[in-house]
Amino acid sequence: MRHVIALDVGGTGIKAALVGADGTLLHRARRSTGREDGPEAVVAGILDFATELRAHGVGSYGEPAGAAGIAVPGIVDERDGTAVYSANLGWRDVPLRSLLADRLGMPVALGHDVRTGGLAEGRIGAGRGTDRFLFLALGTGIAGAIGIGGRVESGAHGFAGEIGHIVVRPGGTDCPCGQRGCLERYASAAAVGAAWAAACGDRDADAADCARAVASGDPNAVRVWQEAVDALADGLLTAVTLLDPRTLIIGGGLAEAGEVLFRPLREAVRRRITFQKAPALVPAALGDSAGCLGAGLLARDLLTITPTTPEVST
């Protein structure tokens, strides 16, 4: 049976799957990254895991996978096939695509984790059937994926979609990127959690606690939440003005609040719209499977591209 290997590497764990030619998930597996043993051990673990998946495909379906796709965090050069930098995993300039291709004996696609997850949401998730979308993941930080015609734009240097570093509060809170007032310092799950912990006096409180307090009508929680929503709406207005997406897809930890987030966010974006065409604003549909499913899509694309097409295009 024709199938591909999909790997989604996170800071602490690796999710993997064998995906059929029709997109069916044939097999799933997980394991730790082993980052406590250093970056070389992480790479070795990925290669070993992929080799096991190849063997599973041969044993279960009578043939090896036709291609593999892998999504990784940090700075990624998809065209060169290099995992340029990851603070969480400790690696620099790892030629991951060629290492995997040599080990597996098949073509390999390398993608950025958020852009790869966005690809899955755009093609087979919440944005299915949409020609242009913007996917945002509201987690520890905020990152995005710009979808155009079933592909995700990586930019000239691999930084497209970094909406978390749009300045929405000039002269505001310092950001590790070197700017002040970046969106993710106000509207990420981490930022909301920190603001609510300070407001309620519980240093262990997080964004989910704030959302629950908002739902119960706590005025301090409503204030903290609205400040985040307003910052997010300001950032989204900039994105809508520049990109004119048909659909905005919001995922990540903060989106788990559901309508507690989406109701005021839709209203805040609507108030800011002037000449722009308001996009549909919808929650992500694939959850933490998006990265793995997207890696499978990257691999399946390799089986259909022509020889003159670049090996990887996300």
Side-chain angles (χ1 to χ4, degrees):
M1 178 186 295
R2 200 178 198 206
H3 63 281
V4 298
I5 294 169
L7 294 154
D8 178 20
V9 181
T12 59
I14 306 171
K15 295 185 285 291
L18 297 181
V19 184
D22 61 354
T24 303
L25 287 173
L26 304 173
H27 171 72
R28 296 191 194 204
R30 293 187 182 224
R31 68 175 48 177
S32 168
T33 59
R35 65 177 181 172
E36 64 276 4
D37 296 322
E40 291 81 8
V42 173
V43 174
I46 291 170
L47 296 176
D48 290 344
F49 196 10
T51 302
E52 292 172 20
L53 291 163
R54 183 185 187 281
H56 183 88
V58 172
S60 299
Y61 311 114
E63 61 179 303
I70 179 168
V72 299
I75 300 172
V76 181
D77 185 335
E78 287 104 332
R79 291 181 177 85
D80 188 53
T82 302
V84 177
Y85 174 72
S86 171
N88 286 336
L89 298 176
W91 62 29
R92 288 181 181 271
D93 298 320
V94 178
L96 198 52
R97 185 173 68 198
S98 63
L99 290 173
L100 269 172
D102 290 345
R103 174 69 72 91
L104 298 175
M106 64 183 68
V108 174
L110 175 68
H112 179 271
D113 56 353
V114 174
R115 288 196 290 267
T116 302
L119 175 68
E121 284 288 354
R123 279 203 205 168
I124 61 176
R128 186 168 187 165
T130 300
D131 57 344
R132 283 175 168 77
F133 69 89
L134 176 64
F135 168 74
L136 269 73
L138 310 178
T140 303
I142 298 178
I146 302 165
I148 303 173
R151 316 295 286 181
V152 170
E153 173 59 45
S154 61
H157 307 97
F159 296 118
E162 289 293 345
I163 189 174
H165 297 289
I166 289 176
V167 173
V168 294
R169 300 291 180 265
T173 303
D174 288 339
C175 181
C177 79
Q179 299 185 114
R180 298 179 67 185
C182 288
L183 176 60
E184 70 176 39
R185 306 305 291 170
Y186 299 90
S188 63
V192 172
W196 176 234
C200 72
D202 178 1
R203 65 182 183 180
D204 295 323
D206 60 16
D209 295 322
C210 185
R212 285 189 286 269
V214 170
S216 69
D218 184 304
N220 283 330
V222 171
R223 174 184 55 80
V224 168
W225 196 259
Q226 192 61 50
E227 288 175 357
V229 166
D230 285 340
L232 182 55
D234 288 341
L236 288 176
L237 182 66
T238 297
V240 168
T241 303
L242 289 173
L243 302 173
D244 188 25
R246 200 172 305 279
T247 305
L248 291 173
I249 305 169
I250 311 294
L254 206 62
E256 293 175 6
E259 285 303 302
V260 172
L261 173 66
F262 285 94
R263 188 179 299 110
L265 182 58
R266 290 187 184 107
E267 175 59 22
V269 171
R270 186 196 63 77
R271 289 197 310 269
R272 286 160 172 77
I273 291 289
T274 55
F275 67 90
Q276 305 90 341
K277 180 71 173 178
L281 202 162
V282 300
L286 302 177
D288 69 356
S289 297
C292 200
L293 290 168
L297 291 172
L298 292 179
R300 289 166 59 198
D301 285 351
L302 292 180
L303 302 180
T304 59
I305 58 177
T306 64
T308 56
T309 302
E311 185 176 358
V312 178
S313 178
T314 54

